[in-house]
Amino acid sequence: MNDRTDIGLPARAAALDILSAALARRSGLDEAIAAPAFGALETRDRAFARALVMATLRHLGPIDKALDARLSKPPPERVRNILRLGAAQAFLMEVPAFAAVATSVDLAGAGRESRPFKGLVNAVLRGLLREPPKLDDPEALAPPWLLARWRAAYGADAARRIAAVIAGEPAADLTLRSPELAAELAEALEAEILPGGTLRTARRGDLSAWPGFETGAWWVQDASAAVPARLLEPGPGQRAADLCAAPGGKSLQLAAAGAAVTAVDRSADRLKRLKANFERMGLEVSAVAADAGAWKGEGAYDSVLLDAPCSATGTFRRHPDVLWAARPGDIASLAGVQTRLLDAAADLVAAHGRLVYCVCSLEPEEGEAQTAAFLARRSDFVLEPMRPGEGGAPEASLRPDGALRILPFHLEGGTDGFYIARFLRQG
């Protein structure tokens, strides 16, 4: 990034609001970015504020560790957030040191609660500049309770490798409507073609200006998120149901392969976005606003895909806030929702049809444990093992039982963490 001395206090104040919302509650970051006050900022201020918050969240653990070493007692949360943003500016955003400190002091002075702490902000940040902290330590990048869970599930080395991915800014992954155009679009977008056909590009900026956007040649979808729909092997003449479908990337994959798709989501607003995506692609979908756990469908479906609500801990590359908004109790409560939805999804599957269950979570209770319990409940289903590399999944992700456990380091450059199981309904 270039010298940021021309970015003023409004951008930093917006970053403070966004960071505070992101750490206060799940979905807080998205809500703050969607707020009218943020949208009213100049384009460059919005871009700076968002980049600053994301850099802070990706390095929050090490930043807090460095701050705690210089604080005799915890300051008010607003002051801590100002310090966090100041450290991120100085060490991650290439903001000149004097500007990082001065604007942080000004930001503290702009709030009644933080005004008495202007001297503290100045002293702490200047201290950090004298002894720059190490901000890429995997042991500090993840919340301790999550790192402990990953150690227990995958071993100490794998847990460190998962955590190391947190600090990286991800490239853009694109799924193609017509796979035969992969080479042409890869050249136009300066992208590499990943296993399965996903394009990965380091391009930044306005997506609508990229080659192929206007013609609906591709949509944004993480490489891991593109795997589940491929495992259904959809095609013309098949009826497919995508449950908890919005924003619709997997539905688009099913439709692009020729299947007649019904996309179900409980949020009518999110379905509007899904339908807009289908219109841009020139594809058809039947969109239904309903609770997937209560929806009975219209007959049986050859393919059913359930991307169940989950803790989303596997999506930290693009959504680092999920790591800090998640709580241990979330996992158990979400597991109950997943069980209900999985049983409802199973009832929609035709004899000899397929059901793919997936979650963008790294937590075994939401993945492996769900599969084991489902097979114990439903004798009419069997696990249909995946082949090595099937669907574009990294070979390292294949479990002994044939399900997939994609870890973020399984793909060079990183990928979302996913659990994916494919079931076959017996006649």
Side-chain angles (χ1 to χ4, degrees), residues 68-423:
D68 287 341
R70 294 186 171 275
L71 292 167
S72 58
K73 61 180 181 179
E77 192 66 10
R78 177 182 172 86
V79 175
R80 177 176 283 276
N81 284 338
I82 291 171
L83 288 168
R84 288 162 166 165
L85 292 172
Q89 288 179 72
F91 301 112
L92 302 170
M93 299 285 288
E94 297 184 6
V95 171
F98 75 89
V101 175
T103 55
S104 297
V105 172
D106 289 345
L107 194 56
R112 181 181 302 174
E113 180 188 21
S114 55
R115 193 171 298 132
F117 295 88
K118 288 172 60 178
L120 176 72
V121 169
N122 181 67
V124 170
L125 291 180
R126 288 188 180 279
L128 288 181
L129 290 170
R130 288 192 296 271
E131 298 179 39
K134 179 178 173 58
L135 297 183
D136 59 354
D137 177 12
E139 294 289 338
L141 283 167
W145 72 274
L146 274 175
L147 188 63
R149 289 181 60 85
W150 299 342
R151 284 197 193 101
Y154 310 115
D157 180 64
R160 279 181 59 86
R161 294 179 71 185
I162 292 170
V165 179
I166 295 170
E169 185 176 358
D173 289 350
L174 311 175
T175 298
L176 306 185
R177 185 183 61 195
S178 302
E180 62 271 16
L181 297 179
E184 176 185 335
L185 287 167
E187 182 177 0
L189 291 161
E190 303 170 279
E192 63 173 316
I193 304 174
L194 302 181
T198 290
L199 297 192
R200 173 165 288 185
T201 176
R203 275 182 174 241
R204 304 291 178 196
D206 183 6
L207 293 174
S208 64
W210 292 10
F213 179 87
E214 286 293 338
T215 58
W218 50 262
W219 58 91
V220 176
Q221 186 177 32
D222 188 83
S224 290
V227 173
R230 295 184 190 130
L231 298 174
L232 288 169
E233 299 180 343
Q238 288 196 357
R239 300 178 71 236
D242 183 9
L243 309 182
C244 308
K250 298 174 183 65
S251 295
L252 285 167
Q253 287 179 275
L254 298 171
V261 180
T262 300
V264 182
D265 198 277
R266 67 186 306 168
S267 170
D269 287 340
R270 283 167 58 85
L271 281 177
K272 289 178 183 177
R273 180 179 168 192
L274 180 148
K275 287 187 281 190
N277 287 335
F278 266 81
E279 289 174 8
R280 182 171 72 86
M281 297 298 156
L283 296 170
E284 294 185 1
V285 66
S286 173
V288 178
D291 176 358
W295 184 68
K296 301 304 180 184
E298 297 178 1
Y301 294 83
D302 304 296
S303 299
V304 176
L305 196 159
L306 172 60
D307 185 356
C310 67
S311 62
T313 52
T315 68
F316 60 68
R317 292 163 59 248
R318 289 180 175 81
H319 306 285
D321 52 307
V322 302
L323 297 176
W324 305 99
R327 300 291 181 267
D330 297 345
I331 295 166
S333 61
L334 285 164
V337 174
Q338 293 149 11
T339 296
R340 179 177 69 88
L341 292 174
L342 191 47
D343 282 340
D347 291 338
L348 300 172
V349 182
H352 309 296
R354 282 171 162 162
L355 166 63
V356 164
Y357 169 78
C358 64
V359 284
C360 52
S361 164
L362 294 168
E363 316 316 313
E365 296 93 325
E366 300 182 88
E368 292 86 346
Q370 288 291 344
T371 287
F374 176 71
L375 291 173
R377 292 194 305 273
R378 298 294 297 247
S379 60
D380 53 336
F381 280 85
V382 294
L383 193 64
E384 184 180 12
M386 270 73 97
R387 303 180 300 276
E390 187 177 358
E395 292 196 16
S397 305
L398 188 62
R399 287 171 37 85
D401 64 359
L404 295 173
R405 169 52 80 183
I406 304 176
L407 298 179
F409 63 84
H410 280 169
L411 190 64
E412 186 176 353
T415 190
D416 280 1
F418 258 83
Y419 174 83
I420 310 169
R422 180 173 62 190
F423 305 101

